[in-house]
Amino acid sequence: QVQLVESGGGLVQPGGSLRLSCAASGSIDSIGSMNWYRQAPEKQRELVATISGGGNTNYADSVKGRFTISRDNAKNTAYLQMNSLKVEDTAVYYCNARIRKAGVLGYGVEWGKGTLVTVSS
């Protein structure tokens, strides 16, 4: 059994910062890319940031220069540092990752249950 658990969401004022964490646990052999998505009310889920197993990163245009994705492979954890937050960043933030489970050939995609980020004055 493999789990992804997000944490770090909450209420923050515009211009503030939050750091989200996504911890993978269970019988894990290897983790490939780790990604952050978000879904605002009545909107489709969108990709926010990705980080490859080798550390290459990509960002949605809407968060470039404000958000930073990173990972700690020893802890099987990805992070999303969010600075200069805007009201429009309000959403449930989800983590997903490509994971090869112990004893299984190939990678599958696992999702966390999300953490709510609310940016409001």
Side-chain angles (χ1 to χ4, degrees):
Q1 191 79 352
V2 171
Q3 260 192 321
L4 288 181
V5 178
E6 302 96 334
S7 61
L11 174 64
V12 63
Q13 291 188 338
S17 297
L18 281 176
R19 188 193 195 207
L20 306 183
S21 298
C22 168
S25 62
S27 300
I28 296 170
D29 209 19
S30 177
I31 302 178
S33 62
M34 300 185 80
N35 315 292
W36 286 98
Y37 287 75
R38 67 185 180 187
Q39 187 165 18
E42 300 182 1
K43 290 191 176 180
Q44 288 191 328
R45 191 172 296 190
E46 63 171 346
L47 179 61
V48 174
T50 69
I51 185 166
S52 70
N56 294 320
T57 59
N58 277 292
Y59 299 92
D61 287 342
S62 57
V63 307
K64 276 182 185 174
R66 300 188 298 122
F67 290 11
T68 302
I69 188 171
S70 60
R71 64 191 287 169
D72 183 335
N73 291 330
K75 295 182 179 179
N76 288 340
T77 299
Y79 304 96
L80 187 68
Q81 178 66 44
M82 305 187 295
N83 299 329
S84 302
L85 281 160
K86 304 175 181 179
V87 171
E88 51 263 42
D89 294 318
T90 296
V92 178
Y93 284 71
Y94 297 90
C95 172
N96 91 351
R98 294 184 68 247
I99 295 176
R100 188 173 71 211
K101 299 177 184 179
V104 176
L105 292 177
Y107 286 79
V109 176
E110 302 289 336
W111 284 88
K113 294 183 179 180
T115 185
L116 177 62
V117 172
T118 303
V119 185
S120 175
S121 55

